[in-house]
Amino acid sequence: MAMLRVDIRQIGPAGVQTRGALAPDDPAFEGLALPFVGPVEVDGVLRESEGGNFIWRAQVRATVAGECRRCLTPVHQEVADQVDLVFSSDPDLLDDPSVYALPPQAVRIDLAQAVREEVTLRASAFPLCREGCQGLCPECGADLNAGPCRCAAPGTTN
């Protein structure tokens, strides 16, 4: 977990590089129902701002296994996004969902918990194998992506 637990006393004027990878079995992901395919990669910079707040801008990348919500085909969902977060002990800022609470006397920021939450928020709970997925026939269960099934057309009788 290289550079994802930062001693804030070591942050200089240019900030500190936060680059690392969290293994799928990292304790930060314990209890999370996202089956990762490979490590979750993070590359960013943590900087101190006014009022003792810390701003973290990072690129987070992960691949999550799942199944298409329409046809049940296994899919790999790519999660790659820029995160812009604030770590603060100011109670007036904590209502903002992009602000993470920082204890007033904190000397470290553990970015792994923020990575966990941000990846969870960005991963679709209902992935598709492709945009135009036809799904399964509700009568016989045939994969309609492979072509029409042998069931009668809707509105007709057998």
Side-chain angles (χ1 to χ4, degrees):
M1 172 171 332
M3 290 307 297
L4 296 181
R5 288 194 179 113
V6 179
D7 185 331
I8 59 179
R9 299 169 295 186
Q10 304 298 317
I11 297 176
V16 64
Q17 187 74 31
T18 56
R19 183 175 292 150
L22 298 169
D25 63 349
D26 189 282
F29 302 130
E30 191 172 311
L32 191 60
L34 284 178
F36 292 107
V37 179
V40 177
E41 299 173 356
V42 179
D43 187 8
V45 175
L46 180 66
R47 290 185 170 90
E48 188 170 6
S49 68
E50 294 179 20
N53 299 319
F54 297 87
I55 298 172
W56 186 47
R57 173 170 268 178
Q59 182 72 29
V60 177
R61 290 176 298 282
T63 303
V64 180
E67 60 183 26
C68 177
R69 72 176 186 191
R70 294 183 186 159
C71 71
L72 307 179
T73 300
V75 296
H76 284 174
Q77 179 184 170
E78 300 297 321
V79 178
D81 206 358
Q82 178 82 27
V83 296
D84 294 305
L85 306 175
V86 175
F87 293 84
S88 178
S89 58
D90 183 346
D92 293 334
L93 297 178
L94 297 180
D95 287 337
D96 185 328
S98 66
V99 177
Y100 285 79
L102 187 62
Q105 302 304 319
V107 294
R108 292 191 198 291
I109 295 177
D110 184 355
L111 300 171
Q113 292 305 312
V115 170
R116 171 194 167 105
E117 185 171 328
E118 297 301 320
V119 169
T120 301
L121 290 170
R122 286 165 172 77
S124 174
F126 306 105
L128 293 174
C129 62
R130 61 180 177 266
E131 192 62 38
C133 178
Q134 298 297 308
L136 302 175
C137 172
E139 297 295 322
C140 69
D143 184 353
L144 299 176
N145 295 307
C149 67
R150 296 182 185 239
C151 292
T156 64
T157 58
N158 290 346

